[in-house]
Every structure is written in structure tokens, then in C-alpha cells.
Amino acid sequence: YVEVLTFLLGAWAMAAASFLNGAARVAAAGSALGVSLVGSPCAQLLQQLGEDLVGMAVDALGGFASVVDLGEEGLDQRFLTLAARQLVSGLIGVSEAVHLRFSCAGRCGACPAHLVEPGSARGGGQAMLRRQVNSLTDCLKRFAALFEPLSDVEESSSELLAERLRGVAKLKKLAPQVAERDMLTSIEMHLGQAAQALGQDASADVSEAAFGELYRASVLVRNVLEVLRSAVLAGLRAGPLLLAFEAHGVGRSGLGSELGLAGQAPFVAYLRGASREPHWPLLVELAHAAGPGRARPAARSHPLCDADYERLFPESPGRGQAPSPFKDSSGAKSWHGASAEALMRWLEGLKVPLAHRYYSILPHGMPAGFVACEEANGVFYDPTVCLEKLGRGWGGVVVLPPYKESSLTQAILRPRPRAGFAAAAERSVPWPPEAEPVDLLFLHPMAGNCVLLNQLFESLGGAERSLQDMPKLVYVGINPLLPPPLRAAPDFRHHWGRHQELSRSVAEAKQEEVNNWVFRSMATHFLAQCSLSQAADMLRARGYVLLHVEHFFAVFVLRGLTVDNGNAVVQQEATEEAKDVDEFEAWRRGWFCSPLAPLLLSLEQLASPDAQWLGIGALPADEAEEASRRAVCDFFEQRMLVPEEKVLEHGCGERHELAFGQKDLSARQALQRRLRLQWSIEMPPPLPGVALQLGGSEGSRSRGHCPSYPGKDVECECFAPWRGPRCDLEDGGSDLALARNYSSAIHYVVNEDPVHIAELRHSLRTLWKHYNSRFDHPIQVYHDGLSSGTRASIVRATPSRVWFHRLPSDFLPPPSQLPADIVVEDDAGNVSHHSFSAGYRAQCRFRSGPVFQHPAVARLDYLMSLDTDSIFTKEIDQDPIEEMHRNSSLILGYVHLTMTSGASSRGLWGATLTFLAYEEIDLVAARRDKWHFFSKFLNPHTESDEAMLWNNRVVMTDLELLRVSFFRPGTTYFRYFSFLDELGGFWLHRWGDHAVRGLGTALALYAHEPSPEAGPAPLVAYDLQIPYAHQGSCFCHDAAYACMSLGQEAAREPLWPSKKKVWQCQPNKSVRR
């Protein structure tokens, strides 16, 4: 490598026109990060430590793979896999914490806010480091205890057994040493002394004394980590010996018979010893860690990377199985995705004709294929080298980028070898070449970024090029620190020019060895790459879709690529919302959640990503655009120098406050918004054992349920406040919400219709602005199937906590059980989006009764019900839910009563009279005595005062507040609903929930409404008096305000129905103040 790297630097230095002396020259050149890399010995120390940590993590991952690849299928193999995963996860967690601690306390790099405890400042990471070390040492002690039955076995005639026993001996020796020696104390002492020597000025140079303390601390760190690494690897090597305990495995291994341990169950003690960890999650993970090829290593220690490791490894495209591990761009076994070779085999399996030709864009001075496939990683990663290794006649064109010119002109042809002949010599060729099929295009991160890629496609003929001649796969470097939807396209030529000057300065000043500098400067090249969203936008316009992210690289596949049966390999993308979700998921899986991401090139410590960036994609589109622009501008200005025109090109000329729906969203709030989006859009099949862990689908103590529906995959849903794949993460909301001693929610019912979704988003915005931003009640959205993109758009519309629940399986009966005239949905009614088809009737029935049976509602004390087009018109000072809680007599709050049409209530009063015959309610007295709620719904018959008629008055349910205990199954109200449901009137006569709510509440209240002389009524229905609007109705309930119609554009929803008003309560000018 030294020769090659020296050659590279020599090529860069040939164009130098003049030289200045030492550090002064260095400080005048390069990006801000490049200067800090050269000028800071501390940064160099951090990078060296990071490289050691990466090596240690790679060793641990390799050891884990050796355990998983044993090929055993029994329960003990699962136990062993679980224990091995915990060991590896613990070691990698310690590595990450050490790196962070060194970066923060030693000022060797940035201190990423999203990984540091609140209020810890420069001491950041101390608690995290101690927590991770304690966790690992506890795990090592428990693992070592598994081998106690082997204490009398010292040697064996079996070579394999002897090797395992040596591992056991080493583990048993190191585990107590790790637990008893508090090596962290020494490390913290030196870090503290270094921080003292650094002084209070964060910009001060690192003094010789401070650097000496930091160096001594780094040596101690290496010693501690070496002990931990040795202990973990010893455990992983000895681990397979534990399979001898499996009774059915004795005959195969021969170890159990030699040790006399067949039939034992040592892992029971291991699980019992994990007292600090939840029991159920361990067992669920155990059940899921099944079989060869399924177990995966630890993810990054972060809330975005949940414990469901399997979900981070989706199936290979079109293959129906997990991808085989390969050495990826990090230099370690792959964390995610599939290799270029595997993708080519996939295309071949789909009968896509391959040309065995590639285009590779490499920097000047770098010979094609100078690094072997097995050793190509970081900025030397090149998937085309591995394709050539396949020996199938691969060849291609190496393109040399124009660092100064504006057009591509120069290339080198590497001809494909023909069968029986040696490969022809390379030769220079003009660019672009003649049109020819190409399988893969690779852009090297030292050659350019996605801007150059765009120019490359233009030079190839752009849209005029045949689809079959377009590269089938595209590999392009990305800046992994910029998550979607951030869009950034740095000026790479500017970066490269600065980097050349800086490299020449390093060489001239002889500040460090050339090869060391080239390695340490790798990070700057990746920071000069486009963000993932920027690259995806450019390539999407060329007909490509994102396949996966492989640490520093994004892989794209040609959309609409046809195979011999005429089908498309990749169809058109879905909505814009789904695209954003997919991009973030690809970034999360391929970079952020990788266990190596916090360590690779020390990238995060040297160019700290802002924790707020994680939350930008969870904002509404307009707010996300402004926040994204601001984030990119900050990145350009604070982390690297770019030409002024490039800054202006990204809209950085004007500065605005970050949007986020509020000013200065904290790192914690940003992460919370992102997690809520993540939790809402994920709809994975449940892990084995999760349904049992959730406690079934009934009862107030359950945290969720896993309902099944005919023809649909099983999905698990969490009940508020629980989240996550096991519903074991609490999202309790604000301090006010956490302090409540009751449970409540606000619920909507919606389908996938775009107009309904547009209305719902506007309703959620007004709900947050005027009410829920203060009181923070959970939102429940009931649906009959929403796409990920639609879910994302709903969650982005509001900072409120949103949970999605699928409507019950009997929400809409089979068509054969419905009247023929309502089976087909119609489009009637622009003002009221409810047509009177099956879907509307199903919603009326659900809100009348089954909603109270749903386990997410049955566990509640109070439920507020809203329509998708409900609008809050003015700030609400007092929480009506809190008022209902304080007054135990309140059971139903409503905004207004109105009249319904006879056509939608045919037969309802007759059915109600039949039910009333069993309830012994005196309707004459109910109408006469005005304290009865029933009096609002009755009129005397024209021919007799002794006969009562329903006056068609109803309780409008577009906004209502309910005490759930009054309406749930077993109550008079619910028996009334059940009676009506048996008659089928919801389907036959479209009985509305507003009518059922009014009449059902009135008859259920009758027995609880004594005369005023007897004292206050124990239970009452009442007028809410909330500033509110729905369709043509608007109420301010304040003489100083008047309802104003703002126009359709005020909804911020293009699909808002043109005949519907958007209301707001504004100061009444006719009232004197």
C-alpha cells in the first residue's frame, strides 16, 4: 500500500506551482475538516483509536459468524446464538462508548449530541461508557458460569475438544479479571487530567501536557479493550462446546459422551442470571434466533435501531431468502444488502441478459484494479474488481474525471478476455464510447460525486440511450451523515483542488507520513459526496430506484428493466411519501444502524452530524423543506468550505429559523418525532411469542394485540402509550400527560381516499395548534388498510402522538351479506364526503357500538371522537377531558344537536320502541320532565298526548366526548346497540351513529336522572361549548370572536373539497374591547 499511496500523492503533487512552509501553508488550504485533521495530533489519536476499535468489532462479528455457521438447529443452538449475540453486542457497545468518550472529553473530535446524556456537556459519554462496560462484564460472568460443569475436565484426546477447553480456560480466567479490575477509573483519571490541561477554552490548541495525558489514556483504553476482546473471543470459541449439552446432538458431536453432560440445560441458569433484563424479550428473541443464516449480529445502540435485528435484514430482491454475507465497503462482513456478484446472479436468475461490461470512474493516478477484491474497502472500494475475479470475461471502461474541465473526454478500455486467450492490453479511448450494453456503473468517491454522475449520463446520450444499453446497477458514494430528506450536492472539484493543496502541504511540511495522511483524509472525500436523497433524486430522473445502502455507498437498479417473460424487475415507485420513507429506511438499515457506523473513519466524531437532522423527515413537507435547507447550509458553513456560488445554489443566501412546527426543536424532540414516524409506518409480521407477551387482545393490562384478518398478514398493534415491535417502549408524552392518573385518547376513522386523508391532516393541524399542543392526548386512527406513505403523511402533519389501529374483521361484511344496491362505492356528495354506500354504513355501525369493544378503547377512561373534517377554530384554555375526569357525573359531551332526515332513520324509532318495552321507560314523563335528556328527542303524537314520537333530533358525533365506562359492552347503551345491530338496520336503512348515540344515551340515562328536588343528577349529557367548526357549522362561544371563512387555500391541502369552508374564530370587530 505504501508504494501505491506514495504514487497517488506524487501524482497529485506534480501540479504544484509553489510551496510555502509548514503549518501556515496547511492552515490556508483544504476544508475545515482537512485542516483540523492535519493540525490536531489529538484527531490523529482519535482516528487511530477508531481504527483499532473497528478491527476489534470486525473480530467479534467474525467470531459470532463462526458460532452461527455451526449448522445446528436445536434449542441449545438458539440459546448459544442469543448468548453470543449479547457478547458481541456488549463489546461493540463498549467500543462505541469508548470512541465517544475519547472524542468528547479529550476534544479530539465533536461530541454528537444524540449520543450524549443531557447536561453532561464535555463530560459526555461517561455514564454511557460505564453502563456499557458493566453490562458486558455481567454478560461475561454469566457466560463463563455456563462452563462450571467442565471445571474437572482439564484435557482431552480430542483435538477439537482440547481447543474448546483452552477457550473455556481463558474465558474463566479473564471474566473475573474484567469484573474485578476497575480499569475505567485509570482511563477517566487521565481523561480528566487532559481536560484540565486543555482549560476552559474549547478552541485552544492541545498542549503537550494535555496530549500526553490523552495518549496515556489511549494506551489504557487499548489495554482494557484487549482484555474485553480476548474474553469475548474466548467465549465465542468455547461456545460450541455447549452444544454437547443437547441430548440429541451427542451422537453427532461426540463431545457430550466424552464429558458425560448429555441432557443438561445450562442456559436456564444463564437466563435466570439476566435479572437486569426483561424476561419476555429474551425469550422472544430466543425463539426468533433460529437456524443457520437467520441469526444476525448486534445493531447500533440507538432507539432507531430496535432489538428486532431480523427486520434490519430484508430478503434479497426477488430471491425470497436472506443475502449471503460478503465483505462490503467497510472491510467487514456485510451488515446489510447484497454483493455486486450476488446482484448479478439475481439478474441472471431473472433471465436478464448480461453484457459482462462495466463503467468505472476512478481518480487520476489510481490504476484500475490495483487493490485486490478482498482488500478493497473505504475509498478503495470498487465492486468491479470483484466482478473481474469471477472469471466470466468481465471487462469495461475506466473513466478519468475532469477535475478542471467541464466535460468528460478521457477513458481507458479494459477489454474483456475471450475464451482461450489472454486479456488484451489496456488502451486509451475517447469518451463517450459507442452505445453498448453495460451491467454496472461505479463512481469512485475520489473521482467525483453525483453531480459528475449526472454529467456522465448526459455524455452517454441521456434519454436517447436505449433502456437495454443503460447500466443495470449503479454504485455511487454518499455522505452518510446527511439522512433523508436532506439534499446536498457539494462542489467536488472545489473540494478536490483544496485537498490537493493540503496534500502537497503535508508532504512539504513533513508533518506525517504520506500513506498515513492519505488514509486519514479518507473521511473528507465522503463528506464531499452528495447526500443519499440528492443522489436518489438525480438517478430517479434517469430511471433508477434505490436498492440498498452499503455503508458509504448507495446501490441503484434500473426501473422497468424487462426480463424475457416481459415482466419488469422493478416497477414504478409509489407515492412521494412512500419514496421518502424508503430512502430513510435504506439509510437507517445500511448506515445508521450498522454496528460499525459509529466507528468507521471516525466520521461522526470528526464531522458531528446534528441530532436534529433525524427529525426533519418526520415533519410536514413544507416544514421539512425549510429545515432540510437550513441543515445543509449549516453543514456547508460549519463543516467544510465550499465556493460561495455553491452555497447560494442551495438557497443559503437567507437564513430562517428552523421550522419543526416550533422553534429550536431539541435533539430529544427531533428523535422523538422520527421514532413516532418509524413506529407508525412499520407493519412487520409479529415475532414469535409477541402475541403471548402482549397479553392477548383483551383486558386493560395488555400492551397490544395481533389481530388476524382473512386474506391479510397478521400485524401487531401497540396500545397507547406503548410502542416498538414488542410494545415495551413507553411513549408517554409531555410531563402533563405522564402525570395523569387516567387514560384518554382522541380517535378518527379514515380510509385510503386522498380527500379523506387531506381533511384528516388539516384537522390534526388545527387540533394540535388550538388544543393538543397544551394537553397532549394520544391520537387513535382507525382504518381499513393504509399504505406506509399515507401513514407517514398523517404522522408528519402533527407533533401529536399517533397510533394506527386496523378496523375489526367484521367492520364490513362480505358482499354476499349486503344489500345489492350498496355493494359498489359511489362518488356522490362533494360537500359531505360520505356517500351512503357500504363504507359509510360500516363506519356508522362501528362508531355506534364496536368502537367500545376494540381493545385500544376498552382500556380507556375517556374518548374524544372526531370526523376527518373537524376543525378547532380557536385556542382552548381548559381541557374538556380533564373537566370530565374531575366531574364524575359527566358521561357525554357534545357540540350541538341537529335534525336528521327521515330517509336515514327509517324503522329506527319503531325498533327503539320495541327495545323500550323491556326498559320500562315512561316516555310521556320523559318528555314532560325537562331534566331528562330524552326530552330533547321527543314530540307528542298529533292525535294523542299519550303517544310519543321521535323528533328526528340527533347528537352530532363529529365532535363528542365520552366516558367509556357508560358505553362499553354490558351497559344499557351497548345492549341497545346490540339489539339494533341484530335487526340489520345499519346496512338496510343506513341508521346513523348520531341517531343511535342520541337515543341510546337518552334511554340509558333515564334511570340516572332523578327530579331536581332529589338533588343533582348523578349522570348527565351536556353541551361542550368548544370553539369548533364542521362543514357548514361554526361556533366560537365567545362574543368577542366571530366565525370567519378563510378560503380553501387556508387548509394547506390541494385536495380540500372546494365547497367545504375552512373556518377560524377571529376577533369580532363589532365588539368594543
Side-chain angles (χ1 to χ4, degrees), residues 28 116 258 331 382 461 472 530 577 596 611 620 631 777 884 904 937 960:
V116 181
E258 183 171 348
D382 185 349
K472 300 170 183 64
C530 298
E577 294 286 356
L596 298 180
H777 295 282
M884 177 174 276
S904 65
F937 301 90
E960 58 177 347

Side-chain angles (χ1 to χ4, degrees), residues 16 23 71 74 290 353 476 510 604 694 718 720 737 805 825 836 890 917 1015 1031 1051:
V476 59
K510 297 181 179 179
E604 291 189 350
L694 296 183
C718 300
H805 299 289
E825 292 277 354
F836 296 115
L890 306 180
Q1031 298 181 8

Side-chain angles (χ1 to χ4, degrees), residues 777-1026:
H777 295 282
I779 309 296
Q780 296 178 347
V781 177
Y782 292 85
H783 63 96
D784 55 359
L786 295 178
S787 66
S788 294
T790 298
R791 292 184 184 215
S793 74
I794 292 170
V795 175
R796 286 187 175 115
T798 177
S800 292
R801 297 172 291 144
V802 179
W803 277 260
F804 291 92
H805 299 289
R806 187 179 279 273
L807 290 160
S809 56
D810 65 347
F811 174 72
L812 189 62
S816 60
Q817 300 178 19
L818 295 173
D821 61 332
I822 68 169
V823 171
V824 179
E825 292 277 354
D826 60 66
D827 298 323
N830 188 40
V831 173
S832 174
H833 58 66
H834 296 150
S835 63
F836 296 115
S837 57
Y840 171 70
R841 300 177 195 216
Q843 176 178 278
C844 289
R845 176 185 173 273
F846 174 73
R847 294 179 69 165
S848 295
V851 65
F852 303 109
Q853 290 178 299
H854 195 285
V857 172
R859 59 191 287 111
L860 298 177
D861 296 305
Y862 312 103
L863 179 69
M864 181 182 287
S865 178
L866 297 173
D867 273 5
T868 57
D869 50 356
S870 296
I871 300 174
F872 285 74
T873 55
K874 187 172 74 70
E875 186 168 349
I876 298 174
D877 297 323
Q878 300 296 323
D879 184 1
I881 296 179
E882 180 67 27
E883 290 177 356
M884 177 174 276
H885 176 66
R886 289 198 301 265
N887 187 344
S888 60
S889 67
L890 306 180
I891 57 97
L892 170 66
Y894 56 89
V895 172
H896 64 123
L897 305 178
T898 191
M899 307 293 286
T900 190
S901 67
S904 65
S905 56
R906 186 174 52 177
L908 177 60
W909 181 239
T912 302
L913 287 174
T914 303
F915 182 82
L916 289 173
Y918 295 95
E919 296 299 314
E920 300 182 356
I921 293 178
D922 185 348
L923 291 181
V924 175
R927 180 183 178 277
R928 182 190 65 236
D929 300 333
K930 300 304 181 184
W931 62 80
H932 287 297
F933 187 54
F934 223 149
S935 66
K936 299 179 183 294
F937 301 90
L938 298 173
N939 279 342
H941 197 281
T942 55
E943 298 180 1
S944 173
D945 289 342
E946 297 300 316
M948 293 295 111
L949 295 177
W950 176 38
N951 58 16
N952 281 14
R953 185 169 289 176
V954 296
V955 171
M956 287 304 293
T957 55
D958 49 85
L959 169 56
E960 58 177 347
L961 179 58
L962 307 124
R963 184 181 294 271
V964 175
S965 61
F966 186 83
F967 298 92
R968 62 168 49 112
T971 63
T972 300
Y973 172 88
F974 201 86
R975 285 191 293 108
Y976 172 64
F977 159 76
S978 299
F979 176 75
L980 298 179
D981 195 31
E982 290 176 1
L983 298 177
F986 293 101
W987 308 113
L988 296 171
H989 309 304
R990 56 182 171 89
W991 292 345
D993 54 300
H994 50 5
V996 174
R997 187 79 78 244
L999 293 173
T1001 301
L1003 64 88
L1005 272 177
Y1006 185 81
H1008 304 279
E1009 296 173 316
S1011 66
E1013 292 80 11
L1019 298 177
V1020 296
Y1022 65 105
D1023 189 342
L1024 278 174
Q1025 297 287 309
I1026 286 178

Side-chain angles (χ1 to χ4, degrees), residues 226-243:
E226 178 55 32
V227 173
L228 293 174
R229 185 189 73 88
S230 298
V232 169
L233 292 180
L236 294 175
R237 283 193 291 269
L241 185 60
L242 294 172
L243 296 185

Side-chain angles (χ1 to χ4, degrees), residues 295-361:
R296 300 298 178 185
R300 179 189 193 138
S301 176
H302 192 274
L304 269 178
C305 311
D306 59 39
D308 183 7
Y309 306 108
E310 203 71 23
R311 196 180 315 165
L312 296 172
F313 283 79
E315 297 174 349
S316 294
R319 303 303 293 174
Q321 59 185 4
S324 300
F326 64 100
K327 185 166 285 191
D328 68 7
S329 60
S330 68
K333 283 291 183 69
S334 60
W335 155 254
H336 174 69
S339 66
E341 304 100 293
L343 292 175
M344 289 302 166
R345 287 194 295 270
W346 166 55
L347 292 175
E348 285 184 314
L350 293 172
K351 306 296 179 62
V352 176
L354 298 183
H356 296 93
R357 183 181 294 109
Y358 60 78
Y359 290 153
S360 184
I361 299 91

